[in-house]
Amino acid sequence: MSTIASPRIADIGQCVNQTVCLKGWLYNRRSSKNVHFLELRDGSAIIQCVIGKNDVSPELFEAAANLSQETSLMITGTVREDSRSDLGYEIGVTDYTVVGEATDYPITPKEHGVAFLMENRHLWLRSKRQNAILKIRHELVNAIRDFFNQEDFTLIDAPIFTPSACEGTTNLFETTYFDRQAYLTQSGQLYMEAGAMAFGKVYCFGPTFRAEKSKTRRHLTEFWMVEPEVAYNTLYDNMDLAEKFLKYIVGRVLENRKLELKVLERDISALEKIQKPFPRIHYNDAIKKLQELGSDIVWGDDFGADDETMLTKEFDTPIMVHHYPAEIKAFYMKKDPENSKLSLSVDVLAPEGYGEIIGGGEREDNLEVLEKAIAAHDLPKEHFEWFLDLRRYGTVPHAGFGLGLERAVAWVCGLHHVRETIPFPRLMDRIKP
Ligand code: 4AD
Ligand code: MG
């Protein structure tokens, strides 16, 4: 007895004119007196399955008129080429079985408010749009790993429980750790610095946490960050690496996720421009430019979201703003040897108003200077003794950066808000589902 093939819908092109059994869920249905059109989804793609009145038993034909959205189904039929559909194929149904009924599925094809959709995030994931976004996220994650692996970086996983702050003390999540206090990590950087001294080129890629009390379209309380760190790299090497890296990961999405970008109606030409060189702009020049554009920013200020938007609208590739005032950057930033008011820092700002996606720079490698910076930032020195050891035993110049995955996904997908870029977003006012 021959068994029927059961391919994923995305691979259906390999089964033209064959009988297959597809396993999925009913995405949508249109019915008339003589024919039912079932849109079946299986997570890989959606295919139209056509049931003509004489193709199945009268009972099955009649029952199809009551199949409801998200009912799970196994559909048997013949694969036909169909140039009118996005997929290029449809199914001529000969039989089907209901696996599990879905009564009153809450997310109907009509428009729903964001609060309602977020409340039903566990179901919202089944929609075409969320499927496209999360597949692009998946592509970016793989591209990120492939890039660093190809460049001979070693993956060094950073811990989640940490004894101290890396990115300032204002947005730390505190937790008890037996009889002590601990924090959820804000960044794996300090551990990557140890890794770079051991392996030369390292990266970590994992969840990081910030108790962000602002409800903006760019902030999550839990987000994923990839952080490379390289021994002997300068600020300028770091910028070269960030540029090459971003070009690679955007290129991968363009290459492998055309269908998903189309579902999202993303302007592909905007992404194709990312292959051009990225302008590098000194903080001093960025301030002048912003003032010309009408911002009331003054030298010494950090960029607000509006400033970033204003500045990036002037360019069609990401821009790299470097040499921010030391005052507005973290304790570990190396000062510019020519002007101690400035730091050897760089932020990469994405075009189309997306703003900061990468932060990084060259690290302070001098023991005494770093000790002073730790004191000046009121950080408990005892927690940083191990970090200072890296300067005590064979210190070298080194640099690295962190890319926020969700901001990168929002930009590449052209989304308004980061809440759709992660399967189960954590925001100031949301920890459910
Ligand atoms: O600029 P940040 O704070 O830099 C660091 O944490 C460095 N220690 C990284 C390093 O050099 N190894 O964060 C880096 C990136 C930001 O550019 C942004 O993309 C993302 O992390 N990010 C957030 N993404 C979503 N929600 C938040 N609350 C974020 N905070 C930072
Ligand atoms: Mg930053």
Side-chain angles (χ1 to χ4, degrees), residues 25 66-73 98-104:
W25 293 261
N66 295 314
L67 290 174
S68 53
Q69 191 189 347
E70 287 306 317
T71 292
S72 43
L73 291 173
V98 170
V99 179
E101 276 181 41
T103 318
D104 299 331

Side-chain angles (χ1 to χ4, degrees), residues 93-376:
V93 179
T94 52
D95 193 13
Y96 72 85
T97 317
V98 170
V99 179
E101 276 181 41
T103 318
D104 299 331
Y105 184 68
I107 305 178
T108 55
K110 69 162 199 196
E111 291 273 315
H112 292 283
V114 172
F116 177 81
L117 291 169
M118 292 290 281
E119 202 58 37
N120 287 287
R121 182 67 175 163
H122 53 296
L123 302 175
W124 190 22
L125 292 179
R126 302 181 185 193
S127 81
K128 213 184 261 186
R129 178 182 155 85
Q130 298 309 314
N131 183 287
I133 295 168
L134 293 181
K135 281 199 176 142
I136 289 173
R137 177 186 170 103
H138 171 78
E139 186 72 38
L140 282 170
V141 168
N142 283 327
I144 287 167
R145 293 202 181 283
D146 288 345
F147 176 82
F148 288 115
N149 293 339
Q150 282 161 25
E151 298 276 325
D152 201 26
F153 283 65
T154 301
L155 176 72
I156 297 291
D157 300 305
I160 304 275
F161 285 127
T162 58
S164 54
C166 174
E167 293 301 321
T169 48
T170 53
N171 60 9
L172 277 174
F173 273 116
E174 205 176 301
T175 175
T176 51
Y177 192 76
F178 303 105
D179 54 349
R180 271 166 296 169
Q181 195 178 51
Y183 307 101
L184 299 184
T185 185
Q186 298 168 304
S187 158
Q189 180 194 319
L190 306 187
Y191 299 96
M192 290 310 99
E193 292 187 48
M197 300 306 135
F199 294 85
K201 297 161 86 168
V202 297
Y203 75 102
C204 62
F205 192 4
T208 48
F209 305 86
R210 310 261 171 115
E212 301 282 4
K213 295 210 179 67
S214 51
K215 299 181 188 170
T216 79
R217 65 194 194 89
R218 300 175 185 189
H219 288 91
L220 292 160
T221 54
E222 178 177 325
F223 63 97
W224 282 63
M225 187 159 37
V226 55
E227 298 179 84
E229 191 74 29
V230 183
Y232 289 101
N233 261 13
T234 63
L235 170 65
Y236 301 95
D237 299 326
N238 201 40
M239 289 198 257
D240 291 344
L241 181 68
E243 181 172 341
K244 187 175 181 191
F245 166 66
L246 285 176
K247 285 179 179 170
Y248 178 81
I249 65 172
V250 172
R252 273 275 297 265
V253 173
L254 281 171
E255 201 176 306
N256 295 339
R257 296 292 167 184
K258 281 250 151 61
L259 270 178
E260 286 79 6
L261 291 169
K262 193 173 161 206
V263 168
L264 300 172
E265 293 171 9
R266 182 67 169 109
D267 174 7
I268 306 273
S269 69
L271 294 179
E272 282 166 350
K273 295 190 183 111
I274 308 312
Q275 300 309 321
K276 298 197 303 189
F278 299 176
R280 300 175 185 202
I281 306 170
H282 193 288
Y283 172 86
N284 293 347
D285 299 325
I287 291 293
K288 272 186 224 139
K289 179 105 209 159
L290 279 168
Q291 288 168 344
E292 277 164 31
L293 291 169
S295 168
D296 52 14
I297 197 167
V298 293
W299 195 98
D301 287 351
D302 205 351
F303 298 164
D306 292 344
D307 295 310
E308 284 184 2
T309 303
M310 204 187 277
L311 191 62
T312 54
K313 286 234 155 108
E314 299 289 295
F315 303 91
D316 57 9
T317 67
I319 58 175
M320 305 209 265
V321 180
H322 54 87
H323 286 92
Y324 285 82
E327 188 80 354
I328 56 171
K329 288 290 178 188
F331 77 95
Y332 53 72
M333 290 286 186
K334 189 174 171 70
K335 303 240 168 52
D336 180 357
E338 272 147 43
N339 177 355
S340 64
K341 280 197 154 46
L342 298 177
S343 63
L344 298 183
S345 52
V346 57
D347 277 4
V348 182
L349 313 181
E352 301 171 86
Y354 280 94
E356 182 193 336
I357 51 169
I358 281 182
E362 201 173 318
R363 321 306 190 184
E364 183 51 67
D365 49 18
N366 178 281
L367 177 64
E368 285 76 42
V369 179
L370 191 55
E371 280 173 333
K372 283 200 189 110
I374 287 169

